[in-house]
Amino acid sequence: MKKQFIKSQVNKNFILSLTLVAILVVMVVGEVWLICGLASDEGFMWMTFGIGFLGIVMLVIATVMTATLACFIFIFALIAKLIYKNTSEKITAYRVLMGLSYAGQICLLFYSFHGILAGGWGSVISVAISAYIFWAIFMGMRGTYTERLKES
């Protein structure tokens, strides 16, 4: 019974990490869509001159950073789950790997704060997303670093 609860906590932590990765994937798709929209004939003309070029370069860098953060969070959460699945006695290794995943999730939380000052509906959506990200990190850390997860 107790071992089943521990495995469900590991699965819950992994699912919470996957939801945050899904948010990042949606952001990457939106950024790529924006870049493709800017690459139209008229948009291309404007972005090849001065400030437009710098703007598109910054957008491409932001897209790469967002995709990298999504991979970072996913890879460490997946490795932690696989290590715990194979040898549940390696609780310390699981906690360290999940700590690295949580570090990426905290970066995502700080990344989502900038939209709060945007105003309008964008600000409301950003507050809701930031609250969810905070909740997911809190629930995951609570399950990882408290006595809910013990060696079997």
Side-chain angles (χ1 to χ4, degrees):
M1 177 72 177
K2 188 149 187 120
K3 191 169 186 167
Q4 181 63 26
F5 177 74
I6 290 172
K7 288 196 178 201
S8 70
Q9 183 64 47
V10 170
N11 290 336
K12 179 180 167 186
N13 290 347
F14 185 68
I15 290 171
L16 288 172
S17 295
L18 282 182
T19 60
L20 298 180
V21 169
I23 290 172
L24 285 170
V25 168
V26 168
M27 288 174 60
V28 167
V29 168
E31 290 169 351
V32 168
W33 177 76
L34 183 60
I35 290 170
C36 290
L38 290 174
S40 67
D41 292 333
E42 185 179 334
F44 182 75
M45 181 185 77
W46 285 106
M47 79 181 173
T48 56
F49 294 106
I51 263 327
F53 179 73
L54 291 177
I56 197 71
V57 167
M58 288 174 36
L59 185 59
V60 168
I61 290 171
T63 304
V64 169
M65 287 175 53
T66 306
T68 303
L69 185 60
C71 290
F72 180 83
I73 293 170
F74 176 73
I75 287 171
F76 281 113
L78 180 66
I79 292 172
K81 181 178 168 60
L82 292 176
I83 283 179
Y84 192 83
K85 179 181 174 185
N86 292 336
T87 56
S88 58
E89 292 82 25
K90 303 282 185 177
I91 193 76
T92 305
Y94 175 79
R95 287 181 173 162
V96 168
L97 288 169
M98 283 306 293
L100 293 171
S101 179
Y102 294 138
Q105 293 173 19
I106 290 170
C107 289
L108 172 61
L109 180 64
F110 289 136
Y111 186 67
S112 69
F113 281 154
H114 75 84
I116 293 174
L117 301 176
W121 284 107
S123 180
V124 173
I125 292 169
S126 185
V127 166
I129 290 173
S130 297
Y132 175 74
I133 293 169
F134 180 80
W135 176 82
I137 293 170
F138 176 77
M139 295 302 288
M141 284 185 166
R142 188 182 91 177
T144 300
Y145 298 113
T146 61
E147 293 300 315
R148 296 175 192 281
L149 203 62
K150 295 182 182 178
E151 291 184 23
S152 57

